[in-house]
């Protein structure tokens, strides 16, 4: 489903609001080119609801970083969950699993239980936390790993497309020089363009 950042924010705001009311909502997976604004979208939604964002960069982790390590207490092996996961029962926020599509399959397997069951090992995610993920597409020439069908089937997939009008509205309220906005309206091809061969030298993007 290809939509603008603005429409994605509307969908995600509704999902987070329902999660905060105690409903169990399906996690959203944000797909889009590097620099399109996936991370900023998540922070914007969190700000709207006055909740925090826990940003976990999965591509930089090993499975043990997420699942934790086993420990033996009174002859029983338990998993010691990482300390960065939220534990306060009444806490609220967005657990943002960024770079999911760039993560090694072993990391995706570890994240699967957190996405599906809101648990990992002996750890349980508090009810006030909404889970969402993001990643780049294979055609973006960014690091991209295959996602298992079992994991993909647990997510609501939103493919973000750059939109100059939507970006212009955002830019005006975020202190972007009006000259930049005017230039892009005059030369819209300079707003977002990934079709050139030399992507290793950078490219125009909403970022």
């Amino acid at each position: 489903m290809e939509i603008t950042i603005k429409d994605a924010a509307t969908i995600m705001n509704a999902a987070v609001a329902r999660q905060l009311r105690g409903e169990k909502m399906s996690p959203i997976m944000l797909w889009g080119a590097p620099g399109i604004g996936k991370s900023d979208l998540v922070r914007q939604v969190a700000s709207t609801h006055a909740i925090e964002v826990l940003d976990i960069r999965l591509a930089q982790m090993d499975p043990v970083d997420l699942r934790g390590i086993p420990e033996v207490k009174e002859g029983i092996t338990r998993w010691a969950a990482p300390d960065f996961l939220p534990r306060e029962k009444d806490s609220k926020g967005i657990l943002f699993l960024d770079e999911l599509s760039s993560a090694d399959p072993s990391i995706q397997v570890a994240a699967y239980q957190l996405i599906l069951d809101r648990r990992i090992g002996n750890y349980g995610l508090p009810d006030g936390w909404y889970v969402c993920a993001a990643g780049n597409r294979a055609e973006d020439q960014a690091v991209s790993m295959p996602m298992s069908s079992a994991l993909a089937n647990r997510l609501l997939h939103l493919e973000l497309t750059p939109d100059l009008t939507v970006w212009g509205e955002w830019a005006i309220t975020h202190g972007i020089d009006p000259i930049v906005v005017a230039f892009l309206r005059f030369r819209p091809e300079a707003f977002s363009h990934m079709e050139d061969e030399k992507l290793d030298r950078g490219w125009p993007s909403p970022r």
Side-chain angles (χ1 to χ4, degrees), residues 5-206:
I5 287 279
K6 186 175 183 179
D7 290 336
T10 299
I11 294 172
M12 192 167 172
N13 270 315
V16 170
R18 293 177 66 176
Q19 182 75 44
L20 293 175
R21 290 198 299 266
E23 300 182 45
K24 302 297 184 183
M25 301 303 299
S26 297
I28 285 175
M29 174 68 188
L30 301 172
W31 294 94
I36 198 172
K38 299 183 292 293
S39 299
D40 191 67
L41 165 61
V42 175
R43 288 191 291 267
Q44 174 189 324
V45 171
S47 177
T48 298
H49 296 276
I51 56 177
E52 63 178 302
V53 175
L54 177 56
D55 188 337
I56 300 177
R57 303 299 173 104
L58 293 178
Q60 303 173 20
M61 305 184 81
D62 291 321
V64 69
D65 295 331
L66 189 60
R67 183 174 176 82
I69 59 174
E71 59 178 356
V72 179
K73 289 186 177 180
E74 300 177 355
I76 299 175
T77 301
R78 295 182 174 88
W79 288 95
D83 63 357
F84 57 78
L85 291 173
R87 283 174 170 73
E88 294 292 333
K89 182 180 179 181
D90 297 326
S91 63
K92 296 177 173 59
I94 297 176
L95 181 64
F96 182 35
L97 303 176
D98 201 4
E99 302 174 349
L100 177 59
S101 61
S102 303
D104 186 84
S106 61
I107 300 293
Q108 293 186 16
V109 169
Y112 178 88
Q113 187 182 11
L114 196 55
I115 292 170
L116 173 60
D117 299 324
R118 299 175 59 85
R119 302 191 62 83
I120 190 163
N122 299 317
Y123 168 81
L125 186 66
D127 292 340
W129 283 76
Y130 179 73
V131 179
C132 76
N136 303 129
R137 306 160 301 180
E139 60 265 32
D140 297 324
Q141 299 187 36
V143 177
S144 181
M145 299 288 183
M147 183 181 295
S148 74
S149 58
L151 175 57
N153 194 45
R154 304 298 179 180
L155 300 163
L156 171 61
H157 299 268
L158 302 179
E159 186 165 342
L160 305 182
T161 183
D163 185 286
L164 180 54
T165 300
V166 170
W167 182 87
E169 295 172 357
W170 173 89
I172 290 171
T173 59
H174 285 75
I176 304 299
D177 195 319
I179 293 177
V180 175
V181 180
F183 169 77
L184 290 175
R185 287 174 176 167
F186 176 67
R187 293 282 302 278
E189 67 276 11
F191 173 59
S192 180
H193 186 73
M194 290 191 68
E195 297 178 3
D196 294 336
E197 296 180 358
K198 297 182 179 180
L199 294 180
D200 58 334
R201 297 293 187 270
W203 66 93
S205 75

